[in-house]
Amino acid sequence: MDYGFSAADEVFRGEAREWLLSHADSGQDRRAWERTLGKSGWIGLGWPESGYGNRSATLTQQVAWAEEYARSSAPPRSGHIGENLLAPTLIAHGTDAQKSRFLPAIAAGDELWCQGYSEPGAGSDLAGVRTVAVREANGYRISGQKIWTSLAHEADWCFVLARTEAGSRRHHGLSFLLVPMDQPGRVEVRPIRQLTGTSEFNEVFFDGALASGEHLVGGEGGGWSVAMSLLGFERGVSTLAQQIGFARELGRVVEAAVASGAVLDPVLRDRLVRQWAELRTMRWNALRTLGRAGDAGAPSVAKLLWGGWHQRLGELAMAVRGPEAAVGPVDWSPSLSYELDLLQHLFLFSRADTIYGGSDQVQRTIIAERVLGLPREPKGVV
């Protein structure tokens, strides 16, 4: 099918394979890959505006690109937070100066971003912000802590939700600030070691970090509406690409079931078929809601579907391997470092699927209140 891209762009698959063969999976190499994508205009396809070094693409073309990227086993993205979250937010709420300053750098793959939302003690309650930003002559001085900050150890910038009105509560008095990460002594990043032994998530400490007044998005006190707008951009064509990755993982689990003989067990075979059927259902649901605006429950339904599905797949990956699933590919070292194979990593990492990005409990509350019209849950003084 012709999706409207030039035939010359088919070289992308070859470029991805060649790049993977010649680069290790390090932060520096992922940054180089972002620049490779940027040179060809592959960053920012879904932006409602072009002219920042990005290509203009229809929704169908965006789906084709996302799916082909996943099928090519291209390198993991480091720039997706800036591309898919911040950029659409700046286009919707930013000034012309802010768009001119930040969007070309994102489109070129030159600047990477992280998201400063979650805080210790607040769980999935985004309105429980305690990080403070005090206004000064040239901007804001920020103090506080963020947690579970994806890729903060590689990021150049962080968009931070902070409290700019003293004594304000909940969603009042919040502002959305763009903060440079390179501030020694004022911004500290501490990687969090996970069950998998990796550290994609981080704690970030702001000790008097500075943000320019020109980098306030949506006006002082307008942070809540900007933050909610940004969360709405988290769904889209990326869901379909994610499902291609899920299908690849399911294929590995089926191969493991055949190799171990577990496929002969009617109970495990039924679970495998159910996983396949549920994945197809998720795809059709994603296609049904793709591009639809104003559906308050669609993102929450999608998150509940894929989070639970992926977690069950991890459990099934261990079940089909039997006792062998508990043995790592190499012996543990005295320093307690360890390695996991792909299915073990799937099982351990997927334990977080029903928590990050909004826990299952939060998603069910959103559906209950905003879709079903049930009484709102008490949340204290507002």
Side-chain angles (χ1 to χ4, degrees):
M1 181 179 293
D2 180 9
Y3 291 104
F5 286 140
S6 165
D9 293 326
E10 292 298 320
V11 301
F12 167 74
R13 284 193 181 194
E15 289 177 349
R17 282 193 292 270
E18 182 179 344
W19 193 93
L20 278 169
L21 290 172
S22 60
H23 290 73
D25 185 21
S26 70
Q28 197 60 37
D29 289 331
R30 287 194 297 272
R31 183 180 290 269
W33 176 242
E34 291 296 318
R35 290 180 174 137
T36 299
L37 292 174
K39 285 178 182 177
S40 298
W42 288 119
I43 299 176
L45 293 179
W47 297 355
E49 295 180 10
S50 59
Y52 300 104
N54 59 309
R55 300 180 185 224
S56 178
T58 65
L59 188 58
T60 301
Q61 290 172 335
Q62 293 171 47
V63 171
W65 157 253
E67 291 188 336
E68 288 305 302
Y69 191 95
R71 287 193 182 99
S72 299
S73 297
R77 294 292 308 280
S78 291
H80 62 92
I81 295 174
E83 176 187 9
N84 298 322
L85 298 183
L86 179 65
T89 302
L90 286 181
I91 290 171
H93 300 280
T95 64
D96 289 340
Q98 289 168 348
K99 290 189 280 188
S100 297
R101 163 61 185 85
F102 292 109
L103 294 182
I106 294 173
D110 287 336
E111 291 182 343
L112 304 181
W113 287 79
C114 61
Q115 175 175 305
Y117 274 16
S118 299
E119 296 191 3
S124 295
D125 181 12
L126 182 57
V129 171
R130 291 184 291 181
T131 295
V132 174
V134 178
R135 183 167 47 184
E136 297 185 343
N138 297 319
Y140 294 85
R141 190 172 293 275
I142 303 167
S143 299
Q145 180 186 355
K146 300 293 182 177
I147 198 166
W148 309 122
T149 310
S150 301
L151 303 178
H153 57 297
E154 298 179 12
D156 304 294
W157 289 81
C158 182
F159 49 90
V160 176
L161 194 61
R163 200 163 291 284
T164 49
E165 181 183 333
S168 61
R169 300 288 300 274
R170 304 297 299 163
H171 58 278
H172 301 290
L174 299 174
S175 295
F176 191 97
L177 294 161
L178 310 180
V179 183
M181 295 291 284
D182 186 13
Q183 299 190 51
R186 293 174 176 170
V187 178
E188 180 185 357
V189 178
R190 299 180 190 173
I192 300 172
R193 194 180 188 205
Q194 299 143 213
L195 282 172
T196 55
T198 56
S199 302
E200 295 93 345
F201 302 112
N202 304 267
E203 295 178 281
V204 181
F205 296 85
F206 298 103
D207 186 8
L210 299 175
S212 168
E214 297 177 355
H215 297 160
L216 169 69
V217 181
E220 186 170 304
W224 183 255
S225 60
V226 176
M228 291 299 97
S229 173
L230 182 143
L231 291 176
F233 295 124
E234 286 194 288
R235 72 183 176 104
V237 297
S238 60
T239 303
L240 292 165
Q242 177 192 52
Q243 291 170 10
I244 290 176
F246 286 170
R248 187 178 295 119
E249 291 176 333
L250 177 58
R252 293 192 191 108
V253 174
V254 171
E255 290 174 1
V258 172
S260 68
V263 74
L264 301 176
D265 182 330
V267 175
L268 288 177
R269 190 164 63 244
D270 180 71
R271 289 173 64 183
L272 288 167
V273 172
R274 184 175 293 274
Q275 288 291 137
W276 177 86
E278 290 177 350
L279 182 58
R280 297 299 297 174
T281 302
M282 284 194 292
R283 175 174 175 77
W284 289 116
N285 181 66
L287 289 170
R288 179 179 64 86
T289 61
L290 190 63
R292 182 181 299 177
D295 189 343
S300 294
V301 170
K303 177 60 168 59
L304 285 172
L305 287 174
W306 73 254
W309 183 91
H310 201 223
Q311 201 168 84
R312 292 191 297 276
L313 181 66
E315 294 164 355
L316 185 55
M318 298 298 96
V320 301
R321 296 177 66 182
E324 179 192 344
V327 180
V330 297
D331 293 336
W332 287 22
S333 71
S335 64
L336 299 182
S337 64
Y338 55 87
E339 293 185 23
L340 304 170
D341 61 33
L342 290 173
L343 295 186
Q344 290 169 331
H345 186 279
L346 164 64
F347 169 67
L348 290 177
F349 191 86
S350 65
R351 305 317 299 166
D353 284 338
T354 53
I355 301 173
Y356 70 79
S359 68
D360 277 12
Q361 292 83 352
V362 168
Q363 305 305 331
R364 291 190 176 98
T365 298
I366 292 172
I367 294 170
E369 295 178 354
R370 302 184 188 177
V371 180
L372 302 179
L374 297 178
R376 288 187 172 271
E377 192 177 66
K379 294 183 174 65
V381 180
V382 237

